[in-house]
Amino acid sequence: MPVIRHAESRRTETPNAVMTTLASPSQGGAGQVVWRVDMGPGQAGPPHAIDTEQVWTVLDGGATVELGDETLTVEPGDTLVMPADVPRRLSAAPATGFTAIVVAPAGMRAYVTDGIQVSVECAVPDGDKLVPAWVV
């Protein structure tokens, strides 16, 4: 399907953010998944890793990103390329929150890197990894 209408986008609320799926395999066979992330002020995602590269472009607000051994800050217009299998954690700016568009290969899976369990209410187990609901 060459056009995915706004009405066909899917909204998934997690404990830390709202993910709005804009393109995915179940919406017309996309080989890439595209979604919007909206995090409120001061919200933070859990520490985890993804088994594929992701590209994040910040639209509004800002965030601190713990990526491997680095701590980065991003703001509107910045694009962050997160390599596969590198531990990460995103924290929205306390005053503004954070909005970004993310692109990743279809079939990406998340997993924990430090023994802390993440909620599976927004994902489907796939072996020792999780498929987030917004990427199917």
Side-chain angles (χ1 to χ4, degrees):
M1 169 187 302
V3 176
I4 299 169
R5 303 288 177 198
H6 177 70
E8 297 165 331
S9 63
R10 288 191 316 267
R11 181 180 162 102
T12 304
E13 293 189 35
T14 75
N16 312 301
V18 175
M19 311 300 187
T20 303
T21 307
L22 304 172
S24 71
S26 66
Q27 292 170 305
Q32 299 292 312
V33 181
V34 181
W35 70 95
R36 177 183 168 126
V37 176
D38 291 288
M39 292 181 84
Q43 289 183 305
H48 66 288
I50 301 291
D51 64 1
T52 64
E53 178 181 86
Q54 291 182 326
V55 178
W56 292 61
T57 298
V58 180
L59 301 177
D60 194 29
T64 300
V65 182
E66 298 167 40
L67 185 62
D69 295 330
E70 296 182 82
T71 299
L72 310 162
T73 57
V74 292
E75 51 192 36
D78 291 345
T79 296
L80 174 67
V81 179
M82 290 198 265
D85 301 312
V86 175
R88 75 224 20 222
R89 183 173 191 194
L90 282 88
S91 301
T96 61
F98 172 66
T99 300
I101 295 291
V102 185
V103 178
M108 61 156 266
R109 298 176 303 158
Y111 59 99
V112 297
T113 57
D114 58 8
I116 296 173
Q117 293 298 315
V118 290
S119 170
V120 297
E121 61 201 31
C122 301
V124 177
D126 184 15
D128 60 346
K129 297 181 181 177
L130 299 169
V131 178
W134 52 93
V135 304
V136 294

